[in-house]
Amino acid sequence: MKGPITIAGATFLILGDQLASAADELRSEPLYVLRHSTAHLLAAAVTQLWPGTKYAIGPPVENGFYYDFLLPEPVGEADLRRIEKKMEELVRRNLPYEQVVLSRKQAIERFRALGQDFKLEILAGEAAAEQEISCYATGEFFDLCRGPHVDSTRRLANFKLTKVSGAYWRGEEKNAQLTRIYGTAWPDRESLDDYLRALAEAEKRDHKRLGPQLKLFRLDERTGQGMVIWLPHGATVRRELERWIVDEELARSYQHVVTPVVAKLDLFRQSGHYQKFQETMFPPMRTPEGEELELRPMNCPHHILVYEAEPRSYRDLPLRIAEIGNMYRWEKSGELMGMIRVRSIALNDAHIFCTPDQLQEELRGAIELAQYFMRTLGVQIHRYRLSIRDDQAAKWVGADEQWRHAESALAEALDASGERYEVGRGEAAFYGPKLDFQILDAQRREFTNNTVQVDFQLPLRFGLEYIAPDGSRQTPIMVHRGALGALERFTAYLIEHYAGAFPTWLAPVQVGVLPITDAHVPYAQQVAERLRRERLRVEVDARPERVGKKIAEGRNRRLPYLAVVGEREAESGSVQIRDRAGEQSSEELEAFVERVASEVRQKRL
RNA sequence: GCCCACGUAGCUCAGUCGGUAGAGCACUUCCUUGGUAAGGAAGAGGUCUCGGGUUCGAAUCCCGACGUGGGCUCCA
């Protein structure tokens, strides 16, 4: 399951096993060694504090490390301080990290004597082939480990334990749940402090904090979990995005449709969603008349019905059916997160029905459109991932040949785009491989923002056809593609990306007009009216407050422009403009109107 | 769903050993009409998430439910 694989003549590094299976060069990186050794230090402290603890694995990860334990009693965040103290004590004792190479038999005996069942499992599993078993001893702590490590615990000074969570042994839900303790570790005090400071900064851009603060959205338990209330400001941002998306798609020969969020359950039986995706679907509704209705988890079946609305000829293809489609997924309660992971989802969705000859170009077009959207918004795709099957056949539907065809088609389209990408085995959709556009949130957690998928299955399940030039009936290929992604997740991402300071064209309020005294309110209203005639979004702050306060608040609200108007401006028909950078300028009202209107037209960043 | 936390005014948060509720901002009213980052005063606002329990007495301790956060699993 590890190592490079080859698709369509190109070779890719497999992701998904994180650093735990890192290549040998990576294992010797100084920072990797430091964090890996700190993980051992953590385990040494924990096993001293809680004798009888069984330790599982403890790899370095981005910014730090963790170690998984089966503890004799529950351990929580309140215990972290105590564990850190013990770690510091071990650091002061200047304990060496000593490599001990044992024969397979000796190793098994040793870990059996220690009662370390997880290590025995590893010896019987992934380390089964090795005859010489590398172990490391640090004081009384003894671990199965390839190393390398630092020479002594005294090299480890700049660490901090950060959180406790549950984690399943070998990452499988049916296995025992272990206690995972996370920490961060750095070569020097400054790097540690910088990292902790950056975390605190990231919290300030957190969409869960900024969203309610800027009145963009709220979540209320009375709507049910994962159901977003888009407040007027957030709805404005979303509406601007939607208008833009629809315009751009219409310009690329997409046809927009509107379809309902509820359908008979049989529709999802036919599509296969109910068989393969059921645990992510809301339970069916049973009507008094005995009908079974289902909230749709995806829009594809409805778009297939659009395709079927009339007989199709090859001349109709490619047929690009688009919708900003609402769908509902029953995500488990613990999986929900702010607006990034929700249960009511509005996807910038489309299904392209095409011939095999057209597939390449359609995939490229879908990739380019997504990139155009991202470029215009000044956001960056963190990485591209080609998600393919793994060898657990039960998870996937369709013939091998079609999967291979689909995988190579995506790989070729990606190659043509010139983007570097990685391969995610086992990350495919149940009906076909996909290309995932990955983004990072403020805390550098990775999410899939958008996908482009090739699908041979659904057209077959629905018996879709088109008449080919020779008069024969052929099955079209379906491309499922997002471009912007889900509006909830993407808006959350934008809030964090811009730290709430949306580009003017997206800003819920673009200009705040601030009269200096009551006497200037009529002129302020005039200015606002003029701006509104250009379809700009304006607010007049007519409260009897000092202009300094109005400015402070306008800045807190991240308004792109504040127009201060007083005696001078009213007389000369001008505005005193203050932008978000704090730059001030006096401008003729007409010049300002044109400047902002043009900035909005150009969607300037 | 699972593990670990958390839940006090609209928001951010204090609240000691169990003794009956506090601040700042926001809101309302009054004063102030002030030219570029927060004027002054007063007022109103609470079933301390909900339900049980322990106790003479619970925001505080215990149990459960609900919700939120960080992870795990899953995923756009």
Side-chain angles (χ1 to χ4, degrees):
Chain A
M1 77 189 250
K2 289 154 204 152
I5 63 159
T6 301
I7 289 182
T11 303
F12 313 96
L13 183 68
I14 303 275
L15 273 190
D17 301 54
Q18 275 196 317
L19 295 169
S21 64
D24 285 348
E25 321 85 78
L26 186 55
R27 299 182 69 89
S28 310
E29 289 279 324
L31 202 50
Y32 184 102
V33 170
L34 176 86
R35 289 173 176 159
H36 188 183
S37 298
T38 313
H40 276 234
L41 178 65
L42 164 64
V46 167
T47 48
Q48 278 198 20
L49 289 167
W50 287 276
T53 296
K54 296 184 198 298
Y55 36 99
I57 56 162
V61 291
E62 189 182 13
N63 298 322
F65 59 90
Y66 66 78
Y67 213 115
D68 287 346
F69 305 100
L70 187 60
L71 288 148
E73 61 174 2
V75 166
E77 264 151 50
D79 299 302
L80 293 184
R81 211 36 233 142
R82 237 174 103 205
I83 303 171
E84 279 176 6
K85 284 239 154 56
K86 179 60 81 176
M87 289 167 74
E88 282 156 15
E89 186 192 315
L90 297 174
V91 167
R92 282 193 302 273
R93 281 172 56 194
N94 193 8
L95 298 167
Y97 281 76
E98 291 170 308
Q99 187 175 28
V100 181
V101 178
L102 300 177
S103 72
R104 176 160 199 84
K105 197 164 160 236
Q106 288 173 315
I108 289 172
E109 275 164 19
R110 183 71 185 266
F111 284 108
R112 190 168 287 146
L114 289 167
Q116 291 304 332
D117 304 335
F118 298 117
K119 300 298 170 185
L120 290 169
E121 263 199 60
I122 293 169
L123 283 170
E126 46 268 59
E130 291 164 38
Q131 282 316 310
E132 301 219 311
I133 306 295
S134 167
C135 299
Y136 271 82
T138 314
E140 296 93 85
F141 178 67
F142 191 79
D143 202 356
L144 174 68
C145 182
R146 276 190 289 167
H149 278 288
V150 297
D151 59 349
S152 156
T153 55
R154 97 193 120 91
R155 304 272 177 214
L156 312 172
N158 305 294
F159 58 83
K160 185 172 163 40
L161 300 181
T162 50
K163 55 199 173 196
V164 176
S165 76
Y168 301 105
W169 166 237
R170 294 189 189 277
E172 284 180 36
E173 215 171 351
K174 42 193 175 300
N175 289 347
Q177 178 135 11
L178 310 175
T179 302
R180 175 170 297 180
I181 300 177
Y182 283 92
T184 185
W186 299 85
D188 50 71
R189 179 58 54 176
E190 295 80 68
S191 314
L192 175 62
D193 289 345
D194 283 350
Y195 171 70
L196 296 175
R197 215 172 298 123
L199 272 189
E201 275 308 304
E203 249 170 65
K204 289 188 201 156
R205 6 179 104 216
D206 189 330
H207 78 281
K208 297 186 290 298
R209 177 183 291 254
L210 285 176
Q213 195 178 313
L214 298 174
K215 301 181 186 174
L216 296 165
F217 70 90
R218 67 175 298 206
L219 298 164
D220 185 291
E221 56 187 87
R222 287 168 296 181
T223 57
Q225 295 182 292
M227 306 286 180
V228 178
I229 313 279
W230 293 76
L231 299 172
H233 286 340
T236 298
V237 173
R238 173 170 165 171
R239 190 175 57 250
E240 288 297 326
L241 290 171
E242 288 185 0
R243 284 176 173 166
W244 177 51
I245 288 166
V246 173
D247 284 349
E248 295 289 344
E249 286 179 342
L250 292 178
R252 288 166 178 77
S253 307
Y254 283 80
Q255 304 187 64
H256 266 264
V257 298
V258 179
T259 60
V261 295
V262 171
K264 280 195 189 171
L265 188 57
D266 279 342
L267 182 65
F268 301 106
R269 289 196 176 105
Q270 188 175 3
S271 68
H273 286 101
Y274 192 61
Q275 294 86 323
K276 284 283 172 186
F277 205 68
Q278 197 178 150
E279 73 282 5
T280 313
M281 290 163 65
F282 275 84
M285 295 170 265
R286 289 190 172 76
T287 69
E289 297 178 353
E291 226 181 358
E292 289 181 304
L293 298 175
E294 180 62 45
L295 274 171
R296 67 173 172 196
M298 294 181 187
N299 308 311
C300 1
H302 288 86
H303 290 185
I304 284 174
L305 299 184
V306 173
Y307 181 90
E308 284 183 338
E310 48 188 295
R312 300 295 180 179
S313 144
Y314 72 95
R315 293 176 196 278
D316 297 327
L317 306 185
L319 186 69
R320 307 187 183 99
I321 304 299
E323 178 174 11
I324 297 180
N326 291 301
M327 52 208 204
Y328 291 81
R329 295 188 183 176
W330 189 78
E331 306 286 349
K332 292 184 210 164
S333 59
E335 294 165 342
L336 302 172
M337 196 185 82
M339 271 219 305
I340 285 190
R341 192 78 186 271
V342 293
R343 286 175 172 169
S344 63
I345 307 164
L347 188 65
N348 164 216
D349 204 5
H351 295 92
I352 302 171
F353 300 87
C354 65
T355 69
D357 289 350
Q358 294 166 335
L359 180 60
Q360 270 315 305
E361 201 179 325
E362 291 308 310
L363 290 174
R364 271 183 230 182
I367 293 169
E368 276 164 22
L369 178 58
Q371 288 175 331
Y372 168 75
F373 283 152
M374 298 304 125
R375 200 164 54 241
T376 304
L377 291 161
V379 307
Q380 219 192 339
I381 298 303
H382 172 243
R383 76 163 143 218
Y384 293 84
R385 182 177 69 195
L386 180 62
S387 293
I388 60 172
R389 286 187 301 181
D390 56 22
D391 43 24
Q392 291 177 255
K395 284 161 67 183
W396 324 103
V397 299
D400 286 352
E401 175 50 32
Q402 287 167 331
W403 274 85
R404 273 194 294 277
H405 183 172
E407 285 168 2
S408 56
L410 273 172
E412 275 172 46
L414 259 171
D415 286 339
S417 78
E419 295 294 344
R420 294 190 46 199
Y421 59 99
E422 283 134 347
V423 168
R425 279 198 81 171
E427 305 278 342
F430 72 83
Y431 47 73
K434 58 189 178 129
L435 162 61
D436 297 316
F437 294 63
Q438 302 296 106
I439 53 171
L440 296 181
D441 78 351
Q443 285 158 64
R444 296 188 57 76
R445 290 175 295 200
E446 187 174 325
F447 294 92
T448 300
N449 181 60
N450 181 36
T451 67
V452 175
Q453 313 176 358
V454 180
D455 179 5
F456 291 88
Q457 309 310 323
L458 283 183
L460 283 173
R461 294 188 79 101
F462 282 87
L464 299 187
E465 291 180 336
Y466 64 92
I467 309 295
D470 64 2
S472 66
R473 288 166 188 270
Q474 303 290 333
T475 305
I477 302 173
M478 213 172 150
V479 174
H480 306 239
R481 55 108 275 198
L484 202 81
L487 286 160
E488 289 79 10
R489 178 171 293 183
F490 190 67
T491 302
Y493 172 79
L494 284 184
I495 292 169
E496 300 190 349
H497 178 73
Y498 299 128
F502 290 97
T504 306
W505 75 277
L506 282 175
V509 176
Q510 296 162 319
V511 183
V513 185
L514 316 182
I516 287 169
T517 74
D518 291 352
H520 312 121
V521 170
Y523 178 65
Q525 299 289 9
Q526 247 177 283
V527 169
E529 273 316 304
R530 178 68 193 90
L531 288 157
R532 286 196 189 105
R533 278 215 302 282
E534 301 301 320
R535 302 252 182 227
L536 294 171
R537 297 181 289 270
V538 194
E539 264 182 32
V540 177
D541 187 347
R543 296 173 305 162
E545 291 289 352
R546 286 166 219 284
V547 74
K549 177 161 182 164
K550 295 180 183 181
I551 285 168
E553 286 180 15
R555 290 181 59 93
N556 289 342
R557 294 175 59 198
R558 299 356 182 228
L559 303 190
Y561 294 104
L562 298 172
V564 176
V565 295
E567 206 55 43
R568 296 198 292 270
E569 289 73 24
E571 274 168 19
S572 60
S574 65
V575 282
Q576 177 71 227
I577 297 303
R578 188 183 168 117
D579 66 19
R580 278 191 294 225
E583 295 294 318
Q584 291 176 50
S585 60
S586 180
E587 293 179 46
E588 292 302 313
L589 176 57
E590 287 308 314
F592 175 65
V593 169
E594 182 39 41
R595 174 156 83 96
V596 181
S598 128
E599 182 184 346
V600 167
R601 275 196 302 275
Q602 295 170 37
K603 300 191 164 52
R604 276 228 304 278
L605 294 172

